[in-house]
Amino acid sequence: TVPSEIGQLSNLEVLDISDNALSGTVPVQLGDLISLRHLDLSNNFFENQLSPALGKLQMLEVLDISYNWLSSTIPSEYGDMISLTSLSLDYNYNDESGYFTWGMHGKLPTELGKLKNLQHLHLNDNYLSGTLVSEIGQLFLLETLHLQNNFLLGPIPNEYSKCVLLEELLLEENNIDASFGMPEDVCRLPELGLARVDCDVSC
């Protein structure tokens, strides 16, 4: 586990403890590292609910908690991390050897639309549900949107066409009904080079 005393390192700007065998919950005290710009906790065994306290990290640019065993909703407070350029919570499940967790679940918080500097949003391979939120269309700097392999519902918001820098839009393996189709304005995005939805819903 990560010791709670880590929250005393108030001048710390980079914390990379990825690719270890750390377990337990993500420490609430990380929210006290107000100078932090880069936080990488990926490829560990962190479990349970994510703390809203990380939302206090308004200087944080990169947050990566992918490839863990989290069973958590996405706290709405994460919309307060206004400096974020990359948010990765993908691949949070484990079903090997009879051990099973439910990964990131619940609905996509509309507060994600407040992350105006976000370039990469990777929430794929989890158990997210509910409809795709139009507020993602407010992320005008977004380049990659990876939401594949969840339980998300359509329609695909036409507002995504406002993400004029979008290069990758991955929505396959969700519960998006083919009757909705892909909005033509999204298909016309000038930088879009990779768009994947279930095969009968495409550009």
Side-chain angles (χ1 to χ4, degrees):
T1 59
V2 179
S4 60
E5 289 80 4
I6 198 168
Q8 300 174 16
L9 304 175
S10 57
N11 293 317
L12 193 66
E13 295 187 5
V14 177
L15 178 59
D16 185 344
I17 50 176
S18 59
D19 298 293
N20 283 290
L22 296 167
S23 60
T25 58
V26 175
V28 174
Q29 291 80 6
L30 292 178
D32 296 329
L33 303 179
I34 56 175
S35 300
L36 208 58
R37 296 183 181 275
H38 186 112
L39 178 57
D40 191 345
L41 307 178
S42 62
N43 285 291
N44 281 292
F45 301 104
F46 289 115
E47 299 180 272
N48 302 323
Q49 176 74 29
L50 287 173
S51 170
L54 293 183
K56 297 187 294 183
L57 301 177
Q58 295 194 357
M59 296 181 66
L60 193 66
E61 298 173 5
V62 175
L63 176 59
D64 190 345
I65 321 181
S66 60
Y67 291 93
N68 277 282
W69 288 0
L70 297 175
S71 179
S72 175
T73 56
I74 302 174
S76 59
E77 290 82 359
Y78 285 19
D80 295 330
M81 293 188 283
I82 54 176
S83 298
L84 268 188
T85 62
S86 180
L87 175 58
S88 300
L89 301 175
D90 44 309
Y91 291 101
N92 265 291
Y93 65 88
N94 183 65
D95 57 359
E96 298 177 359
S97 303
Y99 189 95
F100 191 82
T101 65
W102 282 98
M104 303 303 301
H105 56 266
K107 297 180 179 180
L108 293 169
T110 58
E111 289 80 4
L112 290 174
K114 296 161 59 179
L115 302 175
K116 303 300 185 184
N117 291 302
L118 201 63
Q119 299 173 16
H120 306 285
L121 179 58
H122 297 173
L123 305 175
N124 52 284
D125 291 270
N126 281 295
Y127 297 89
L128 296 168
S129 58
T131 57
L132 294 166
V133 294
S134 61
E135 285 78 6
I136 288 176
Q138 300 170 15
L139 307 178
F140 304 132
L141 300 180
L142 198 64
E143 297 177 8
T144 61
L145 177 58
H146 294 181
L147 298 175
Q148 71 270 26
N149 291 307
N150 280 289
F151 295 92
L152 295 166
L153 302 169
I156 300 168
N158 192 64
E159 286 84 354
Y160 291 7
S161 64
K162 298 176 183 177
C163 302
V164 294
L165 300 179
L166 195 62
E167 299 174 3
E168 297 179 6
L169 175 60
L170 304 183
L171 301 173
E172 73 268 24
E173 299 298 328
N174 277 289
N175 292 332
I176 300 172
D177 193 290
S179 63
F180 291 122
M182 179 77 85
E184 291 185 10
D185 289 343
V186 174
C187 291
R188 294 194 188 105
L189 283 167
E191 303 298 327
L192 192 62
L194 181 61
R196 291 180 179 168
V197 194
D198 291 328
C199 59
D200 49 0
V201 184
S202 60
C203 292

